[in-house]
Amino acid sequence: MTDKAVPSGPTRRALYEARIRRRSALIATLSTALVLAAIIILVPMAPGWEAVKKSFFNGPVLAKTFPGLLNAFLMDVAIFAWCAPLIAVLALVIALCRDVRAPALFPLRLFGALYTDIFRGLPVVLVIYLIGFGVPGLGLPRPWNSPYIWGSLALILIYSAYVAEVIRSGIESIHQSQRAASASLGMSDADTMRFVILPQALRNVVPSNMNLFIALQKDVALLSFIGPVEIFRQAGVYKSLMANFTPYVGAAVIFLALTIPATRYADYLMARQRRRRG
Amino acid sequence: MSFLSLRSVTKSFAENQVCKGIDLEVEKGQMVCLIGASGSGKSTLLRCINLLEPIDEGAILLEGTDIAEPGLDPRPVRERIGIVFQSYNLFPHMSAMENVMLAPRRVHRKTRAQLKAPVEALFARFGLAERMHHYPDQLSGGQQQRVAIIRALAMQPQIMLFDEITSALDPELVGEVLDVLRQLHAEGMTMILATHEMGFARELADKVCFLDAGRILEEGPPEQLFAAPQQERTRAFLSRIL
C-alpha cells in the first residue's frame, strides 16, 4: 500500500541466491559424508585397530572410571576458580604500573616491564616446578608447604603477565582524544584513567581475555606434576590400576565439554565486537 | 589589560613550526573568530590556550597571570577554560548526563544530588531535556556536540574555546549548534572560535583573525575584514570560500 515498487514474492536475486545456497549445502554434505565414511571404513582396517580400541576406547573401563574423573575435575575447577580473580586483579595492577608517567614511580614501570617479560618468557611447567618444589623446600610449616598454594601462585604469576599485556593493549587502543577531552575538563590523570580510559579498555579486551582464561583452565592440569590429584593425575592413577589408557580419553572428553563451549562463546564475543566497530 | 592575552606564542611539532609568534587580545564577553585554511594553526592555538599542548616560547596571560609558565599545574587553569572539539569526544560508555556530571563530581567534589538541578537546567536550556539519559551513540551529531558544550559549561569556565565544532556535522544540524553559540554570546560568555562558518563569524564576531601559516596575518571587526581585507592572502582566502 505504501510502496508499489516492492513485489509480493521473492525477487529474482533472492531466487538465484537460494539456488546457490542449496547447491553449496548439497556439495558440503556430500564431501563431509565421503570423508566420514573413509575414516569409519579405513581406520578399523588398520592392523592394530583392535588393540587400540581395547586400550583407548574401552567402554567398561570408561564407565567405571568416569565418575572418579568427574570428581577429580572438580579440583581443576576449584583451582581455576580461585586463580582467575587473583589473576584479574594482579594483571590490572601490572598493566597500570606500566602506564605510570611520574618519574618518581619509574621503578614501578620498570617492575611492570620486567615482570611481563620474565613470566611471558618462561614455560608454564618450568615455573610450576620452580615455585611448586622450590618454595616448600624452605621448610615452611603446614599448611604453607601445600603444593596447591604454590602451584596456584605459579599459574597466577604467569597468567597475570599475559592478561596484563592484553589490558595494556586495551588501554592503548583508546583514542588520545578521550584523554584530551578528560584533561580539558580539569580531570587528574588518575581520574581520567579510572573513569574514562579503563571502563572502555576493559570492555574492549573481554574477548581476548576469555581466550586466556580458557588456556588457564587447561593449564591447571599441569599442577599434577607437583602433587595435586586433579583430573590428569587421577586419570594416570586409573591407567596404572587398569593397565588401560581409556581414562585419558575420558579426561579429554571432560575438558572439551567445558572448553569448546567457552571457546565458541569467546569467538562469538570477538565477532560481535568486530561487527560493532564496523 | 585584556582578559586573555597571547604574547608572541610559538609552537612546533618536531621540525614543523605551527604557531610562529602569535599575539592576540581577547576582552571579557568578546567573541573572537579565528579563520584560515586547514593547517594554518587555528586548532593548535586553541589547544595551546587550554594547555593541552605546551607552548615553546611566549606567554598566555589570563587576567594578567601567565598560565603557560612551564611547570605550572595545568589543571586549575583548565577548569577556567572550557574547550569543545570538532569530533565531540564524548565518553561513549556514559549517558549524556553522566558525561556532564563526571568532571564536576571529581574535580569540584560535588554529589550527583547537588548537580542534578543545575545540570538538568543546562540540558533544558539547550533543548536536550528529553535526551539527558541517552548514550552518545543514540544521539545525532548536533545533539552530541551540544552535550559536549554542556559538559564544558558545567565546569563554569570563564572562557570557552570552540575548535571547528560544526565541521563534522551535516549541514542541517549546523544551525542547532550555532544557536547555542548565539545564546552563549548573548549571555556574555567570552569565546574563541576556530571556524569555517563565515556567515556566522560575520554576524556575531567582535573580532575576526585571519591565520595563515602560523601567523595572524590580519585582524579586525568582521565588517572591515570581510568587506575590505588589507592583505592579498586574506582576499584570496575569502574569495575562495565566500
Short mmCIF file of all heavy atoms in Angstrom, two decimals, chain A residues 159-181:
data_model
loop_
_atom_site.label_atom_id
_atom_site.label_comp_id
_atom_site.label_asym_id
_atom_site.label_seq_id
_atom_site.Cartn_x
_atom_site.Cartn_y
_atom_site.Cartn_z
N TYR A 159 49.94 -16.19 34.27
CA TYR A 159 48.77 -15.69 33.53
C TYR A 159 48.56 -14.19 33.74
O TYR A 159 48.06 -13.50 32.84
CB TYR A 159 47.53 -16.52 33.87
CG TYR A 159 47.45 -17.70 32.94
CD1 TYR A 159 48.10 -18.89 33.22
CD2 TYR A 159 46.79 -17.59 31.72
CE1 TYR A 159 48.09 -19.94 32.34
CE2 TYR A 159 46.77 -18.63 30.83
CZ TYR A 159 47.41 -19.81 31.14
OH TYR A 159 47.39 -20.84 30.24
N SER A 160 48.96 -13.67 34.89
CA SER A 160 48.85 -12.23 35.10
C SER A 160 49.67 -11.47 34.07
O SER A 160 49.27 -10.40 33.61
CB SER A 160 49.32 -11.84 36.50
OG SER A 160 48.50 -12.44 37.45
N ALA A 161 50.82 -12.02 33.72
CA ALA A 161 51.68 -11.35 32.75
C ALA A 161 50.96 -11.24 31.40
O ALA A 161 50.96 -10.18 30.77
CB ALA A 161 53.00 -12.08 32.59
N TYR A 162 50.33 -12.32 30.97
CA TYR A 162 49.61 -12.29 29.69
C TYR A 162 48.40 -11.37 29.75
O TYR A 162 48.17 -10.54 28.86
CB TYR A 162 49.15 -13.70 29.30
CG TYR A 162 50.28 -14.57 28.79
CD1 TYR A 162 50.88 -15.51 29.61
CD2 TYR A 162 50.75 -14.42 27.49
CE1 TYR A 162 51.91 -16.30 29.16
CE2 TYR A 162 51.78 -15.20 27.03
CZ TYR A 162 52.36 -16.15 27.87
OH TYR A 162 53.39 -16.91 27.41
N VAL A 163 47.60 -11.53 30.81
CA VAL A 163 46.40 -10.71 30.92
C VAL A 163 46.77 -9.22 31.02
O VAL A 163 46.12 -8.36 30.44
CB VAL A 163 45.52 -11.16 32.11
CG1 VAL A 163 44.34 -10.23 32.30
CG2 VAL A 163 45.03 -12.59 31.89
N ALA A 164 47.88 -8.93 31.73
CA ALA A 164 48.32 -7.54 31.86
C ALA A 164 48.63 -6.94 30.49
O ALA A 164 48.26 -5.80 30.20
CB ALA A 164 49.56 -7.44 32.76
N GLU A 165 49.29 -7.72 29.64
CA GLU A 165 49.60 -7.23 28.30
C GLU A 165 48.33 -6.97 27.49
O GLU A 165 48.23 -5.99 26.75
CB GLU A 165 50.50 -8.23 27.55
CG GLU A 165 51.94 -8.14 27.95
CD GLU A 165 52.51 -6.75 27.75
OE1 GLU A 165 52.81 -6.38 26.60
OE2 GLU A 165 52.63 -6.02 28.74
N VAL A 166 47.36 -7.86 27.65
CA VAL A 166 46.09 -7.66 26.93
C VAL A 166 45.40 -6.38 27.43
O VAL A 166 44.92 -5.57 26.64
CB VAL A 166 45.17 -8.88 27.11
CG1 VAL A 166 43.77 -8.58 26.63
CG2 VAL A 166 45.74 -10.08 26.35
N ILE A 167 45.40 -6.18 28.75
CA ILE A 167 44.77 -4.98 29.29
C ILE A 167 45.50 -3.73 28.80
O ILE A 167 44.89 -2.74 28.42
CB ILE A 167 44.77 -5.02 30.84
CG1 ILE A 167 43.83 -6.13 31.32
CG2 ILE A 167 44.33 -3.67 31.41
CD1 ILE A 167 43.81 -6.31 32.82
N ARG A 168 46.84 -3.82 28.77
CA ARG A 168 47.60 -2.67 28.31
C ARG A 168 47.28 -2.34 26.84
O ARG A 168 47.14 -1.18 26.47
CB ARG A 168 49.10 -2.92 28.46
CG ARG A 168 49.92 -1.66 28.43
CD ARG A 168 51.32 -1.94 28.87
NE ARG A 168 52.02 -2.72 27.87
CZ ARG A 168 52.94 -2.20 27.05
NH1 ARG A 168 53.25 -0.93 27.14
NH2 ARG A 168 53.54 -2.96 26.17
N SER A 169 47.15 -3.38 26.03
CA SER A 169 46.80 -3.11 24.63
C SER A 169 45.42 -2.46 24.56
O SER A 169 45.16 -1.61 23.72
CB SER A 169 46.84 -4.40 23.80
OG SER A 169 45.72 -5.21 24.11
N GLY A 170 44.52 -2.87 25.47
CA GLY A 170 43.21 -2.23 25.52
C GLY A 170 43.31 -0.77 25.90
O GLY A 170 42.64 0.08 25.32
N ILE A 171 44.17 -0.46 26.87
CA ILE A 171 44.35 0.93 27.29
C ILE A 171 44.89 1.75 26.13
O ILE A 171 44.43 2.86 25.86
CB ILE A 171 45.31 1.00 28.50
CG1 ILE A 171 44.63 0.44 29.75
CG2 ILE A 171 45.78 2.44 28.74
CD1 ILE A 171 45.55 0.28 30.95
N GLU A 172 45.84 1.17 25.41
CA GLU A 172 46.43 1.92 24.30
C GLU A 172 45.48 2.06 23.13
O GLU A 172 45.66 2.95 22.28
CB GLU A 172 47.74 1.25 23.86
CG GLU A 172 48.87 1.63 24.79
CD GLU A 172 50.12 0.81 24.59
OE1 GLU A 172 50.16 0.02 23.62
OE2 GLU A 172 51.04 0.96 25.40
N SER A 173 44.46 1.19 23.07
CA SER A 173 43.54 1.28 21.94
C SER A 173 42.54 2.42 22.10
O SER A 173 41.84 2.78 21.16
CB SER A 173 42.77 -0.04 21.78
OG SER A 173 41.78 -0.15 22.78
N ILE A 174 42.45 3.00 23.29
CA ILE A 174 41.52 4.12 23.47
C ILE A 174 42.15 5.38 22.90
O ILE A 174 43.28 5.74 23.23
CB ILE A 174 41.19 4.33 24.97
CG1 ILE A 174 40.63 3.04 25.57
CG2 ILE A 174 40.22 5.48 25.15
CD1 ILE A 174 39.37 2.53 24.89
N HIS A 175 41.42 6.04 22.03
CA HIS A 175 41.99 7.17 21.28
C HIS A 175 42.43 8.30 22.20
O HIS A 175 41.81 8.58 23.22
CB HIS A 175 40.94 7.69 20.29
CG HIS A 175 41.53 8.53 19.20
ND1 HIS A 175 41.60 9.90 19.28
CD2 HIS A 175 42.12 8.19 18.04
CE1 HIS A 175 42.18 10.37 18.20
NE2 HIS A 175 42.51 9.34 17.42
N GLN A 176 43.53 8.92 21.80
CA GLN A 176 44.12 10.02 22.56
C GLN A 176 43.10 11.13 22.84
O GLN A 176 43.17 11.81 23.87
CB GLN A 176 45.30 10.57 21.73
CG GLN A 176 46.32 11.34 22.53
CD GLN A 176 46.83 10.58 23.74
OE1 GLN A 176 47.07 9.39 23.69
NE2 GLN A 176 46.95 11.28 24.86
N SER A 177 42.14 11.30 21.95
CA SER A 177 41.18 12.39 22.12
C SER A 177 40.33 12.21 23.38
O SER A 177 39.82 13.19 23.93
CB SER A 177 40.27 12.49 20.90
OG SER A 177 39.53 11.29 20.74
N GLN A 178 40.19 10.96 23.84
CA GLN A 178 39.44 10.75 25.08
C GLN A 178 40.22 11.29 26.28
O GLN A 178 39.65 11.91 27.17
CB GLN A 178 39.15 9.26 25.28
CG GLN A 178 38.12 8.72 24.32
CD GLN A 178 36.70 9.08 24.71
OE1 GLN A 178 36.28 8.87 25.83
NE2 GLN A 178 35.95 9.67 23.78
N ARG A 179 41.53 11.07 26.28
CA ARG A 179 42.36 11.65 27.34
C ARG A 179 42.32 13.17 27.28
O ARG A 179 42.23 13.84 28.30
CB ARG A 179 43.81 11.18 27.21
CG ARG A 179 44.08 9.82 27.80
CD ARG A 179 45.60 9.55 27.78
NE ARG A 179 45.88 8.12 27.76
CZ ARG A 179 46.44 7.46 28.78
NH1 ARG A 179 46.77 8.08 29.88
NH2 ARG A 179 46.67 6.17 28.68
N ALA A 180 42.40 13.70 26.05
CA ALA A 180 42.40 15.15 25.89
C ALA A 180 41.10 15.74 26.41
O ALA A 180 41.10 16.74 27.13
CB ALA A 180 42.61 15.51 24.42
N ALA A 181 39.97 15.09 26.05
CA ALA A 181 38.67 15.61 26.49
C ALA A 181 38.59 15.60 28.01
O ALA A 181 38.14 16.57 28.63
CB ALA A 181 37.54 14.75 25.90
#
